Amino acid sequence: MATDKTHKIPNAPNLRFPEFEGEWKNMRLSEMTRRITRKNSGLISNRPLTISAQYGLIDQRDFFKKAVASENIEGYYLLKRGEFAYNKSYSNEHPWGAVKRLDSYSEGVLSTLYICFESMGILSDWMVHYFDSSHWHKQVSEIAVEGARNHGLLNVSVEDFFNTYHYIPKTTIEQKKIATFLSLIDERITTQIGAIEKLKSLISSLNDKLQFQFCNEVNLSFSEIGNDYSGLSGKSANDFGRGKPYIPYTNIYANTFVDDSQFDLVEINEGEHQCRVLNGDVLFTLSSEVPEEVCVGSVYLGNEKELYLNSFCFGVHINSNKIHSPYLAYFVKSSIFRHTVYPLAQGSTRFNLQKSDFLKRKFSFPNIEHQIKIANVLMAIDSKLKIEQKLLEQYKLQKQYLLSQMFI
């Protein structure tokens, strides 16, 4: 690929295949697309329905989902495979809406919150990648206005949407080459995601197998292996955003080991009593809107000297020589543990852990030697997983760079 550093061609991208030259053409979106307003009639018959609550840049698998076959959505737009959908109303938190092409299903239905269209005279595969570029999102963000329907939403009118101007390669050959190249990057990203999912599955299945095989050697409750403590208390919204680091709820819920890069800040006054998180502590979620998210655990292995815990979680300082803290990180993720603690989540609209019952409940653990061996095996695979995840992030950064340089 060639880079035009002289800027002699003003209306051409910085990064371009060397066999192409000359300016790109500037076209109104209405000149290269046709709006779709066909309406669905009757039941949806297991067609995909968009998730209207999702905003921002999202994957097509999240943009479309199958709706209940008995749902009546007469009058909704009917979308066919290869056609595009855009949510014309989006929030200030995600100021650039996503355009996605329906590829996974033969047809789908969308509410009138969406603008539906198909490509006309422009290669559809090229448009898929263009709609992921910062140039596209900049265009849309500039025409967004405050919506009257809901406070805090931005709306793009249909007229303004189709009146936006965009630079397009003059030849279908160049459009195709760009699309093919970027599709190869997408395929590599998809392959990398698959490799990561396989490693996660391996860790999960191996963890369950090892727990089942060895978790019959020591019976202990969490009150016997350590001292429990609560998260932050007495804090208001004004106390957050500055001060000392604390571990947010999502860091515990999403990770086997607490991620040192995912701390938030809270103001801690001099002399104020708040429990600190120490190296080796096991941390649990205490409350959630669904019972499956209650008592999800993670272990902290960092060395932060003054670290606190969010108010919707609690921790246990491990002080028993019969428990290896890194092993606990995997034990609390195992099916054996999850099945045991699930009934302890009580509530209707919001579920809370009966902490006293949990702390007294006996669990079967391997002996300390087996705990260390299990942790070492699983941590080795986890290290490989982290490498693959970092590689995925690099592929994504590469794609974003190419999108910024290959379009104007």
Side-chain angles (χ1 to χ4, degrees):
M1 303 184 74
T3 303
D4 180 17
K5 296 182 179 179
T6 62
H7 299 288
K8 292 180 179 179
I9 305 177
N11 295 327
N14 291 329
L15 196 60
R16 198 175 189 186
F17 291 101
E19 63 267 36
F20 301 105
E21 58 183 21
E23 295 186 349
W24 283 13
K25 54 187 175 183
N26 196 14
M27 296 180 65
R28 188 184 287 115
L29 188 61
S30 60
E31 298 176 305
M32 57 185 186
T33 63
R34 181 181 70 85
R35 189 184 177 197
I36 296 168
T37 57
R38 74 173 79 92
K39 295 298 180 70
N40 180 60
S41 58
L43 301 180
I44 64 175
S45 184
N46 208 32
R47 293 168 183 160
L49 179 69
T50 61
I51 307 172
S52 58
Q54 287 278 9
Y55 302 107
L57 285 174
I58 52 179
D59 187 88
Q60 188 196 80
R61 290 170 296 181
D62 296 322
F63 199 85
F64 298 105
K65 72 173 183 179
K66 285 189 176 180
V68 181
S70 61
E71 186 174 349
N72 192 323
I73 48 175
E74 184 175 355
Y76 277 38
Y77 291 147
L78 178 63
L79 197 69
K80 295 185 179 295
R81 178 178 290 165
E83 297 172 343
F84 294 89
Y86 171 69
N87 191 332
K88 63 183 179 182
S89 180
Y90 47 90
S91 71
N92 284 309
E93 294 179 358
H94 302 281
W96 301 316
V99 175
K100 295 295 175 184
R101 187 176 64 181
L102 182 65
D103 293 331
S104 302
Y105 308 96
S106 59
E107 58 183 17
V109 284
L110 299 95
S111 77
T112 53
L113 288 174
Y114 290 81
I115 298 174
C116 307
F117 59 95
E118 63 178 336
S119 61
M120 298 289 291
I122 304 299
L123 190 68
S124 179
D125 289 343
W126 180 88
M127 294 181 71
V128 167
H129 297 290
Y130 176 66
F131 289 136
D132 272 345
S133 72
S134 59
H135 302 282
W136 159 256
H137 300 302
K138 183 175 184 293
Q139 283 273 8
V140 176
S141 67
E142 288 175 351
I143 61 171
V145 296
E146 288 293 339
R149 286 189 309 104
N150 293 304
H151 179 71
L153 290 181
L154 295 174
N155 291 302
V156 174
S157 71
V158 174
E159 180 180 3
D160 288 342
F161 180 81
F162 285 107
N163 278 335
T164 55
Y165 278 89
H166 310 277
Y167 285 99
I168 314 295
K170 289 183 178 180
T171 67
T172 303
I173 296 175
E174 185 172 9
Q175 294 172 27
K176 185 175 181 179
K177 189 152 189 177
I178 293 170
T180 300
F181 174 69
L182 292 174
S183 293
L184 290 173
I185 302 293
D186 283 340
E187 288 177 12
R188 185 63 187 87
I189 290 174
T190 300
T191 300
Q192 190 65 19
I193 292 173
I196 289 171
E197 291 305 312
K198 287 181 179 179
L199 282 172
K200 288 181 178 180
S201 179
L202 175 61
I203 292 171
S204 177
S205 59
L206 184 57
N207 183 27
D208 281 347
K209 184 175 181 179
L210 291 172
Q211 302 297 350
F212 180 79
Q213 182 176 352
F214 294 103
C215 271
N216 54 7
E217 299 170 335
V218 179
N219 291 320
L220 293 168
S221 67
F222 275 85
S223 63
E224 292 174 313
I225 65 176
N227 300 316
D228 68 287
Y229 60 93
S230 300
L232 292 165
S233 62
K235 292 298 177 183
S236 68
N238 294 331
D239 294 318
F240 293 92
R242 65 187 184 280
K244 304 296 183 179
Y246 77 93
I247 304 171
Y249 182 100
T250 53
N251 196 337
I252 295 168
Y253 178 77
N255 298 305
T256 303
F257 296 97
V258 172
D259 189 338
D260 288 348
S261 67
Q262 296 179 13
F263 293 159
D264 290 335
L265 298 176
V266 61
E267 188 75 23
I268 303 294
N269 297 321
E270 186 176 352
E272 180 179 349
H273 177 71
Q274 298 284 354
C275 296
R276 297 185 183 184
V277 180
L278 303 178
N279 180 289
D281 286 2
V282 58
L283 312 172
F284 296 100
T285 59
L286 187 60
S287 175
S288 179
E289 295 178 354
V290 293
E292 292 83 4
E293 294 182 2
V294 174
C295 205
V296 175
S298 180
V299 168
Y300 176 64
L301 293 181
N303 295 302
E304 191 74 39
K305 293 182 179 180
E306 190 173 351
L307 178 65
Y308 299 91
L309 182 62
N310 75 87
S311 57
F312 293 101
C313 295
F314 71 99
V316 178
H317 293 307
I318 305 302
N319 55 25
S320 171
N321 59 9
K322 295 181 179 180
I323 292 295
H324 182 55
S325 284
Y327 160 79
L328 271 185
Y330 296 102
F331 175 77
V332 299
K333 297 292 187 184
S334 68
S335 296
I336 292 175
F337 178 80
R338 296 303 308 153
H339 290 159
T340 302
V341 300
Y342 181 82
L344 300 178
Q346 304 294 317
S348 54
T349 58
R350 188 168 186 88
F351 295 85
N352 296 284
L353 177 70
Q354 298 300 307
K355 190 170 74 167
S356 60
D357 292 341
F358 166 74
L359 292 171
K360 292 184 295 185
R361 177 151 304 196
K362 295 279 188 177
F363 292 91
S364 294
F365 298 100
N367 62 46
I368 190 67
E369 290 80 11
H370 285 150
Q371 291 179 33
I372 294 172
K373 289 180 180 179
I374 291 171
N376 288 343
V377 169
L378 296 176
M379 290 176 76
I381 305 174
D382 246 335
S383 296
K384 171 65 174 173
L385 174 61
K386 288 181 174 59
I387 292 172
E388 297 300 332
Q389 289 172 328
K390 288 181 180 179
L391 188 57
L392 174 62
E393 291 306 313
Q394 292 302 310
Y395 284 133
K396 289 181 176 180
L397 287 173
Q398 181 188 47
K399 169 105 184 270
Q400 290 305 311
Y401 173 77
L402 290 171
L403 288 173
S404 69
Q405 297 299 309
M406 295 180 69
F407 295 96
I408 55 174

